[in-house]
Structure formats: structure tokens, C-alpha cells
């Protein structure tokens, strides 16, 4: 994930349009500001503001934000006269999709914002001062994802109080992961692997938490997959779920015709390959440009 | 006893990376925020308890400029991985809504 340097390099070389790969969100704006002589602290701060534009305004709306940047300050106001920036609306953006509103790590340093002062200079324009840039050894964030398998989903509901009342127990058979051993070995050898995982979601469902099951609107998407798209295990993984849901026995079962109601036929929907994140590291490097080659074209 | 859902202007969750989830609680005005601060009721202990995780596994920030609290926790399952039910982490705020505030 690149920092500001590749953008700055391209701007300094005269680029008018830049098509960039994955970078930190504020990097393109920070690079433009620094291209025009702005120091790192206000440049990185304004980058974070501009990346979401009028998320820093009120009412929050998809619209443009205009920033004036000095050596040690930023002033922002919305382009749309119906919107306003206030110290509160601007500080809200500091919370957006990050781990901390007062410390932000970027390639080559840390932006400290705990001593920032936000002051209204009009009823719709805010001045921000006090941000501090602390240079650190240059790092590049590395991300990676891998093919996790192939996915199919099934939607089904049940109104059977015997099943709903036993939901904790029944979800455990839904959640069990199959062929654990073959999946692990397949990861090393490249052999086909197959597993089923089911996500039980309720209207108040929590991430990774159990469900109590007191509501007939339970939804049970199940996913099955295999490493090899042509392998029968892939289809088997997907197909096994509807059959299991429909016909697995449970104590007190009165309706043996089927445990669940499927709203669609076929009941399973193929989603194709699915991927998962596998790495998030930072790598030290002396060359901010080395991993990000630039090519120039005249159009 | 009021709850967060009764007095907060915003109570929200979102991914902070594929592996982290961040929770924000914001208040409407300085007077309400001051009462919440004085009561010391949104803490690095109480927020993670809503998610059955330990305080040492939370990055907790009180952020007065936005009249807000932020807590960042690790996802149990990375975004989009097998078993994840909330790709953007946008619906993980609900356990906080019932947190009681003695203000």
C-alpha cells in the first residue's frame, strides 16, 4: 500500500492525471499538498479530511469540500452553500474507519492530532491547527489475500417451535466445519478440500456470538466450498447443506417432510470463488518508490 | 437509568482494517458529553465487556473534540473470511445500545 511518494514523483514529473494502485486513503491529497510546498503535518491531516469530502460537513452529504492549506494550518468549508463545516463536524471525520482519532500511522511517520485545535472562523468554515508529524523509518504496509474456496448460499426459514426452541443445539450442527483434516492437508499439498460453514444470523445477531432463537425469522445461509472448481467436493459441499437442513432429525420432530422452508428453487445459489485476507504487515524499506513503478503516457 | 440508545447522537461500528473493528459513540452537545464523562460510565472496561472481550484487547480513546468515545477491537473473523457475517462491520454497534449510563 503506497504512501505519498509515488504520487509526488508523478506530479513533480508533470503528470496531469494519475491512475494509482492501492495506497493509503489520504496519500493522493497529501502528495498534492506537498507538491505545492505544504509540510507533512497539515498535508496528511488535510488528506484525511478530503478523502471523504463532506463527511466532515453537516448535514453529512455526498458533496465537495474545499480546503485552504498553510504551513501550519488548514481551513475547510463545503463547496455546497447548503452545507456547513463546524468544529464538531470536522472532528467527526477523525473517527472515520480508523483505529484512533489522535494517532495515525502513515508511510514514513506518525501524525499526532491530540493537540489539534479546531476553531470556527465563520458559520461554515473551520480552521485546524496543532497537528504534529513525527518522522519514522519508512515503511510500506503489505496486504495479501488468498483463494479460500468456492461458495454457495442457501436461504431457509423455519416456523417449527421444536426446532427454534432448540436453536442453540441445532446451530451447533449447522456451524460445524467439515473435513477439517482434509482442508488443512489440502492447504499444504494443493489437493482439493471441502468444508461447510454456516452463518446463523438473527435480527439482533452479533459477530461470532451464539443465537438464542426465539423468532421465526431466523435465516440460515450456509456456505460450502472446495479448492478445485471442477471437483465434485465443491458441489457436494454446496449441495449437502439444503439436504442436511431439510432432513436432519432432532428430538421432538413432528414434521418429517422437511425442517425448513426454502423460498427459492434451486435452493442453493452459487457465488463462485471467494477470497480472504491473510496478511497485514509493515515492511521497512529505504526506497519508497521501488515497489511502485511509474509509467507515463501522453494522450 | 438511561441507555446509550436514549442519549447518544450516534452509536456506530465499522471496519478499521480487515482485521479490526472500531466502535464510535457520539453525543449531541457538550452538556450531555460532560455528564457522561463525569459519571465515568463509558470506560475501557465496560465497552469491551459488551463484546465479551478483555480490556487489554481494546484500543480505547476518549475524544472530546467530537464529543465521542472510540473503541477498536480485533475481529473474531477477518472481514470476508469464511464465517464472517458482516463484511464492513457496520452492524456491530448493537450490544452498546443497551449500555446503561448513570447520568
Amino acid at each position: 500500500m503506497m504512501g505519498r511518494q509515488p504520487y509526488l514523483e508523478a506530479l513533480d514529473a508533470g503528470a496531469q492525471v494519475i491512475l494509482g494502485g492501492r495506497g493509503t486513503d489520504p496519500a493522493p491529497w497529501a502528495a498534492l499538498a506537498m507538491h505545492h510546498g505544504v509540510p507533512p503535518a497539515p498535508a496528511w491531516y488535510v488528506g484525511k479530511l478530503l478523502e471523504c469530502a463532506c463527511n466532515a460537513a453537516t448535514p453529512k452529504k455526498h458533496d465537495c469540500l474545499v480546503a485552504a492549506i498553510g504551513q501550519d494550518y488548514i481551513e475547510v468549508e463545503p463547496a455546497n452553500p447548503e452545507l456547513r463545516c463546524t468544529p464538531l463536524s470536522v472532528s467527526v471525520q477523525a473517527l472515520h474507519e480508523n483505529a484512533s482519532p489522535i494517532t495515525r500511522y502513515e508511510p514514513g511517520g506518525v501524525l499526532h492530532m491530540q493537540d489539534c485545535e479546531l476553531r470556527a472562523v465563520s458559520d461554515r468554515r473551520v480552521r485546524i491547527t496543532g497537528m504534529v508529524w513525527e518522522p519514522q523509518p519508512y515503511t510500506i504496509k503489505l496486504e495479501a489475500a488468498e483463494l479460500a474456496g468456492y461458495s454457495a448460499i442457501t436461504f431457509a426459514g423455519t416456523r417449527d417451535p421444536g426446532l427454534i426452541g432448540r436453536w442453540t443445539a441445532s446451530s451447533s450442527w449447522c456451524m460445524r466445519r467439515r473435513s477439517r483434516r482434509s482442508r488443512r492437508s489440502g492447504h499444504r499439498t494443493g489437493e482439493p478440500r471441502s468444508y461447510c460453514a454456516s452463518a446463523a444470523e438473527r435480527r439482533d445477531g452479533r459477530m461470532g456470538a451464539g443465537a438464542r432463537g426465539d423468532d421465526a425469522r431466523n435465516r440460515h445461509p450456509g456456505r460450502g466450498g472446495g479448492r478445485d472448481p471442477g471437483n465434485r467436493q465443491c458441489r457436494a459441499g454446496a449441495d449437502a447443506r439444503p439436504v442436511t437442513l431439510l432432513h436432519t432429525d432432532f428430538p421432538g420432530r413432528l414434521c418429517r417432510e422437511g425442517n425448513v422452508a426454502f423460498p427459492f428453487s434451486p435452493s442453493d445459489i452459487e457465488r463462485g470463488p471467494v477470497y480472504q485476507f491473510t496478511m497485514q504487515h509493515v515492511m521497512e524499506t529505504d526506497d519508497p518508490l521501488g515497489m511502485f513503478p511509474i509509467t507515463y503516457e501522453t494522450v | 437509568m438511561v441507555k446509550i440508545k436514549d442519549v447518544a447522537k450516534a452509536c456506530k461500528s465499522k471496519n478499521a482494517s480487515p482485521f479490526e473493528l472500531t466502535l464510535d459513540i457520539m453525543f449531541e452537545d457538550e452538556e450531555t458529553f460532560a455528564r457522561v464523562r463525569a459519571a465515568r460510565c463509558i470506560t475501557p472496561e465496560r465497552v469491551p465487556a459488551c463484546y465479551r472481550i478483555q480490556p487489554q484487547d481494546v484500543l480505547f480513546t476518549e475524544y472530546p473534540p467530537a464529543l465521542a468515545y472510540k473503541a477498536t477491537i480485533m475481529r473474531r473473523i477477518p472481514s470476508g473470511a469464511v464465517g464472517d457475517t458482516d463484511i464492513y462491520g457496520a452492524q456491530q454497534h448493537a450490544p452498546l445500545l443497551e449500555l446503561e449510563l448513570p447520568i
Side-chain angles (χ1 to χ4, degrees):
Chain A
M1 183 184 285
M2 62 182 154
R4 64 175 173 82
Q5 277 83 357
Y7 294 103
L8 190 58
E9 176 84 2
L11 288 167
D12 288 347
Q16 293 175 302
V17 176
I18 301 175
L19 304 178
R22 186 133 168 81
T24 78
D25 285 347
W29 289 274
L32 183 60
M34 295 175 82
H35 174 65
H36 290 288
V38 173
W44 280 111
Y45 194 104
V46 83
K48 174 68 178 174
L49 282 177
L50 290 173
E51 63 126 332
C52 287
C54 275
N55 192 45
T58 183
K60 179 181 172 181
K61 194 175 179 183
H62 295 295
D63 219 314
C64 297
L65 189 69
V66 180
I69 318 163
Q71 292 295 302
D72 57 359
Y73 74 92
I74 300 160
E75 289 189 9
V76 287
E77 68 176 78
N80 184 340
E82 296 175 0
L83 307 181
R84 299 189 304 130
C85 279
T86 67
L88 181 60
S89 75
V90 170
S91 59
V92 165
Q93 170 63 10
L95 296 163
H96 180 68
E97 290 182 348
N98 58 14
S100 167
I102 56 175
T103 307
R104 200 167 71 233
Y105 295 89
E106 297 285 353
V110 182
L111 185 65
H112 297 288
M113 297 168 283
Q114 64 265 39
D115 295 325
C116 279
E117 183 185 350
L118 293 87
R119 184 168 56 84
V121 293
S122 77
D123 64 349
R124 60 188 311 275
R125 185 178 176 96
V126 171
R127 183 182 180 98
I128 308 121
T129 54
M131 61 289 282
V132 175
W133 175 255
E134 177 193 350
Q136 292 200 334
Y138 201 85
T139 56
I140 294 287
K141 183 177 171 186
L142 303 176
E143 295 178 321
E146 68 169 5
L147 179 66
Y150 296 80
S151 169
I153 56 175
T154 296
F155 293 91
T158 181
R159 302 182 65 182
D160 191 317
L163 185 58
I164 293 168
R166 294 181 50 79
W167 179 246
T168 301
S170 57
S171 66
S172 68
W173 60 247
C174 282
M175 292 293 285
R176 76 174 178 263
R177 193 176 274 190
R178 298 179 178 186
S179 307
R180 200 179 285 261
R181 195 177 61 180
S182 73
R183 178 170 180 245
R184 279 203 297 267
S185 64
H187 189 69
R188 285 194 299 271
T189 64
E191 292 171 358
R193 63 183 185 178
S194 173
Y195 56 85
C196 294
S198 171
E201 297 174 41
R202 305 177 65 246
R203 56 183 176 173
D204 61 347
R206 295 180 186 182
M207 184 184 293
R212 289 188 302 278
D214 53 3
D215 184 79
R217 283 180 287 172
N218 285 330
R219 194 156 64 94
H220 311 214
R223 293 188 280 192
R227 284 287 279 188
D228 181 344
N231 189 275
R232 288 179 187 169
Q233 281 186 305
C234 178
R235 285 296 314 173
D239 288 344
R241 174 49 36 83
V243 173
T244 308
L245 278 174
L246 200 58
H247 293 307
T248 295
D249 198 18
F250 60 89
R253 188 186 189 206
L254 297 178
C255 177
R256 293 178 183 277
E257 308 309 300
N259 297 330
V260 292
F262 292 115
F264 307 113
S265 179
S267 59
D268 53 317
I269 306 158
E270 295 284 347
R271 292 205 319 125
V274 292
Y275 300 85
Q276 60 189 10
F277 287 101
T278 53
M279 182 174 69
Q280 182 174 245
H281 290 302
V282 290
M283 184 185 77
E284 291 190 4
T285 176
D286 295 329
D287 183 2
L289 296 173
M291 297 169 65
F292 308 103
I294 301 172
T295 58
Y296 296 91
E297 292 184 20
T298 301
V299 294
Chain B
M1 187 78 78
V2 298
K3 298 178 176 179
I4 281 183
K5 68 180 181 184
D6 301 320
V7 293
K9 182 178 83 171
C11 178
K12 54 200 179 77
S13 68
K14 198 75 181 284
N15 289 351
S17 80
F19 303 96
E20 292 170 303
L21 186 75
T22 194
L23 304 151
D24 296 330
I25 306 166
M26 301 163 60
F27 293 91
E28 182 69 44
D29 52 61
E30 292 187 7
E31 193 265 330
T32 307
F33 186 66
R35 278 194 289 142
V36 172
R37 287 183 90 181
R40 300 180 188 279
C41 48
I42 298 179
T43 66
E45 291 77 31
R46 293 189 83 203
V47 169
C50 295
Y51 295 83
R52 296 181 224 164
I53 57 179
Q54 298 300 313
Q56 63 265 27
D57 296 328
V58 176
L59 177 63
F60 186 88
T61 309
E62 190 178 70
Y63 188 55
L67 310 178
Y69 293 86
K70 177 183 272 293
T72 302
I73 63 178
M74 295 300 290
R75 281 172 149 269
R76 287 189 173 90
I77 300 172
S79 173
V82 172
D84 182 27
T85 59
D86 187 355
I87 304 297
Y88 301 123
Q91 280 296 299
Q92 302 308 313
H93 63 297
L96 289 174
L97 297 174
E98 301 293 329
L99 192 67
E100 293 184 336
L101 305 179
I103 60 174

